[in-house]
Amino acid sequence: YNNRPAYCGYRTRHRMFVHWDTGEQELYDYRQDPQEAHNLATRRAWKKVLGVMKAKAYAACRPLPPGFRW
C-alpha cells in the first residue's frame, strides 16, 4: 500500500464511493456490479447518487488522511 494515494470513501450495503487524492473518483453499485468492474462515477445518470455519496464521505472522513485534499 506504500504507493497508493491517500483517499476517503463511503460504503453502504449497496454502493461504494471513493475519492482519491489524485482527483479520481469511483462509484460502484453492488446490486448490479459486485466485482466493482464498472465505475459509475463519470456516468451522467449516476450524478445525483455520486453527489450524495461524496457528501457522506466528506462528513465521515475525519480526520483526513495525511496528504489528502478534496
Side-chain angles (χ1 to χ4, degrees):
Y1 300 114
N2 292 335
N3 295 325
R4 181 188 298 184
Y7 69 94
C8 281
Y10 194 81
R11 184 176 176 172
T12 67
R13 184 174 178 199
H14 298 293
R15 295 187 177 121
M16 192 274 293
F17 167 80
V18 174
H19 181 96
W20 297 92
D21 187 40
T22 60
E24 181 182 358
Q25 298 181 108
E26 296 180 49
L27 176 66
Y28 300 100
D29 183 342
Y30 290 136
R31 290 174 288 190
Q32 298 173 18
D33 182 20
Q35 278 75 37
E36 298 179 2
H38 305 285
N39 184 359
L40 303 171
T42 60
R43 299 205 179 153
R44 185 182 302 246
W46 287 85
K47 186 176 181 177
K48 185 175 180 180
V49 173
L50 179 71
V52 168
M53 293 295 285
K54 185 174 183 176
K56 289 179 184 266
Y58 185 84
C61 195
R62 299 285 185 259
L64 290 176
F68 181 81
R69 285 182 233 99
W70 287 102

